[in-house]
Each structure stands twice: as C-alpha cells, then as structure tokens.
Amino acid sequence: MNTREMTDKIAAGQGFIAALDQSGGSTPKALAGYGVSEDEWDGEDEMFAKIHEMRARVITSPSFASGKVIGAILFEKTMDGEVDGKPTAEALKDRGIVPFIKIDQGLADEENGVQLMKPLSKLDALLEKSVAKGMFGTKERSVIKSANPAGIAAIVAQQFEVGNRVIDAGLMPILEPEYDIKAPDRAEGEDILKAEILKNLQTLADDRQVMLKLSIPVTANLYKELVDHPKVLAVVALSGGYSTEQACAELEKNDGMIASFSRAMLQDLRAQQSDEEFDATLGKAIDSICAASVA
C-alpha cells in the first residue's frame, strides 16, 4: 500500500486500529496478562523479546488479516523487529494493515489536572527512522485527570505542536489527549476538551489533517463534529480500562468513531493456547470490536 491507499483506508474506517504499543513500563503487566510470568525472562532485552513474540503471534494469526483490522500502532522496538522474516511494517502492509508508531516518551508529573508528555528528546531521529521504515503515522499520548481549563488547553496545545512536527516529517499524527474514564468530572471536562480541539483545528493549514484518539465520551456523539471535520482524517476510541464488552457497548453509541483498542482486544489471549485456540479467541474479539466500530 502506498500513502494514498493507506490514507483512503483509514478515512473509510471499515474496521478498527489495533494498539500493540505497550512500552517498557506497561510490558510486564501485559506479559503477565498473557500468561508469561516474570520468572520466564531476565532483563529488559528478554522482556521485549517475549512481548515481540506475542505481538508477532497476533500479527500472523489468520484472524488479524481478516480485513477487520485496518491499522496497528507499534512500539519502537516492535517496528525495529521482524515478523515472518520481514520488517514489521512491511509484514503489516502485506496484510492490508496500516502501520503507526508510538512516539511519546511517557508522561510528566500531574499539573493543573493533566499529565503532559515528557520532552520528546528523540523525536526528530525517531520520525526520520519511521519514514525510512515505511510507517504511515504516529501516536502520542497524554492524560487528562480533571476538568481544569488551563490544563486541558495546555495538553491540547502540546498535542498539536507535536502533531505539526509529525506532519512536517511526512507522517500522519494521531493526537491522543486521553481523558481518565474514572474522573468524576469527565462530562464537563470533555466539553472543554472538544472546544480546545476545535480551536486548535482552526490553526491548521488547509492542506493538513490529523487523527484523534479519544476516550469514549460520557455524552454519546459528543465528538461527531470532530468526526465530520475536514481537518480530521479519523477519530478513534481508546478502551481506557473498559472490558471488551463494555468498550464495544459504549463505542456503538458514537457514530463515526472507530476503535483503537489494546487490552480490550488482547485480554483473553494466553501464551498457553494452541494456535487454533489463540486464533479463535482473537477472532472473536476482533469481530466484536469491528462490529462496534462500523455500527
């Protein structure tokens, strides 16, 4: 797939984007959920080798190439690795799946009710490498904890500043100002978040687009104006701690949003499953997430 074909595939939205981008801090928990305990690996290199085995098993599973997964977000080490003897991005594109790369370097301490991204000291080099490896886009996460207007304005401004740098490099940014689904004032804060995103979209040049990855809103279809915005290629939803069933039920209420789930897609997979069991389990999750995305 070339860039135009990948852009059209994401714009059509006939499926969902799989999030396979757990980083160092979240990898032990992801491995434990997969049935790989900490005594089965020693040190960071072995840990990342184990998680790459899991991701490669997902990518090569027949159900993953069913056409219902239209994109996948990768961690840098996954991008640097191989699947089926090919660079991971190429292995994905061979399966009709658009590759994205996680570019943030974690979260700063909370201030004004939000956690901004830590300074992106490796960004220019990572973008250059991502282009060389054939990636289509990027993903950058920060987190909103409360309906603080100053904090939300700062988090959205940072997302768009980094997004413009990504566009300058020739890639499509997924801006992810996640709203903590446990926040008691989330409905109020999501109204503030939407207004800030719309304000920043007005500053984008007419020939520029971004993607948005947002928590499924308390108010159904709150983000429909963003879905329909000409400067937004797609709005994708994170599962945010919901189970697969909960996330799909909430997503179905929001026209035009498609899923970009991680835990909700992988939660029932186990290293001990046979290939047939693994594929059947993954296929069941993919079917339900895709149905909710295109509902």
Side-chain angles (χ1 to χ4, degrees):
M1 292 188 289
N2 59 34
T3 300
R4 181 75 261 162
E5 290 169 336
M6 291 189 283
T7 301
D8 291 344
K9 184 153 199 164
I10 297 299
Q14 295 302 300
F16 71 97
I17 297 173
L20 303 175
D21 60 328
Q22 296 93 350
S23 57
S26 57
T27 295
K29 184 177 180 180
L31 283 172
Y34 182 51
V36 177
S37 62
E38 292 192 19
D39 59 9
E40 294 182 58
W41 48 268
D42 182 17
E44 189 175 90
D45 288 345
E46 290 188 12
M47 177 186 75
F48 282 122
K50 289 290 186 183
I51 200 73
H52 187 73
E53 287 176 13
M54 183 192 82
R55 291 165 177 158
R57 193 180 186 193
V58 169
I59 291 168
T60 57
S61 188
S63 61
F64 200 71
S66 63
K68 297 175 181 179
V69 179
I70 61 172
I73 303 169
L74 308 177
F75 180 51
E76 183 179 359
K77 285 183 178 291
T78 309
M79 177 182 74
D80 291 342
E82 293 189 347
V83 173
D84 267 356
K86 295 180 179 180
T88 305
E90 296 306 314
L92 286 168
K93 286 190 277 189
D94 284 352
R95 290 164 170 78
I97 298 168
V98 178
F100 296 82
I101 176 72
K102 166 188 160 68
I103 58 170
D104 64 83
Q105 295 174 231
L107 300 171
D109 293 337
E110 183 177 338
E111 184 176 353
N112 289 330
V114 303
Q115 287 182 277
L116 295 169
M117 291 179 280
K118 289 180 178 178
L120 302 179
S121 58
K122 304 189 302 180
L123 182 59
D124 291 340
L126 180 55
L127 293 176
E128 183 178 352
K129 180 168 71 168
S130 300
V131 170
K133 288 185 174 289
M135 306 300 287
F136 171 75
T138 65
K139 197 258 323 194
E140 57 198 59
R141 174 178 175 260
S142 45
V143 176
I144 301 167
K145 301 278 191 178
S146 67
N148 182 307
I152 293 174
I155 216 169
V156 175
Q158 185 192 43
Q159 286 281 341
F160 273 84
E161 185 272 325
V162 175
N164 273 304
R165 292 174 65 184
V166 170
I167 296 170
D168 289 342
L171 297 167
M172 171 60 66
I174 299 177
L175 314 184
E176 185 185 7
E178 174 183 348
Y179 211 115
D180 186 341
I181 64 169
K182 297 178 182 178
D185 58 1
R186 184 157 68 99
E188 176 189 352
E190 287 175 339
D191 286 336
I192 300 170
L193 175 60
K194 176 185 171 182
E196 285 295 328
I197 291 173
L198 287 168
K199 184 171 74 175
N200 279 266
L201 285 170
Q202 291 177 351
T203 71
L204 280 182
D206 289 341
D207 61 346
R208 294 194 162 209
Q209 283 187 310
V210 298
M211 293 173 62
L212 299 167
K213 182 168 179 175
L214 304 171
S215 302
I216 304 169
V218 173
T219 303
N221 281 323
L222 176 68
Y223 297 135
K224 188 65 168 65
E225 188 176 357
L226 301 177
V227 170
D228 296 335
H229 199 288
K231 294 181 183 177
V232 177
L233 179 63
V235 179
V236 303
L238 57 101
S239 51
Y242 287 130
S243 69
T244 306
E245 294 75 16
Q246 290 173 308
C248 289
E250 292 299 315
L251 182 60
E252 285 179 354
K253 302 173 186 177
N254 292 272
D255 299 336
M257 287 185 79
I258 66 172
S260 178
F261 293 170
S262 174
R263 191 182 67 81
M265 184 184 75
L266 306 173
Q267 66 181 21
D268 295 323
L269 300 179
R270 300 292 181 270
Q272 297 78 17
Q273 290 168 333
S274 69
D275 288 345
E276 292 76 15
E277 291 170 331
F278 184 93
D279 186 60
T281 302
L282 179 61
K284 181 180 178 181
I286 285 173
D287 287 349
S288 64
I289 295 168
C290 182
S293 295
V294 301

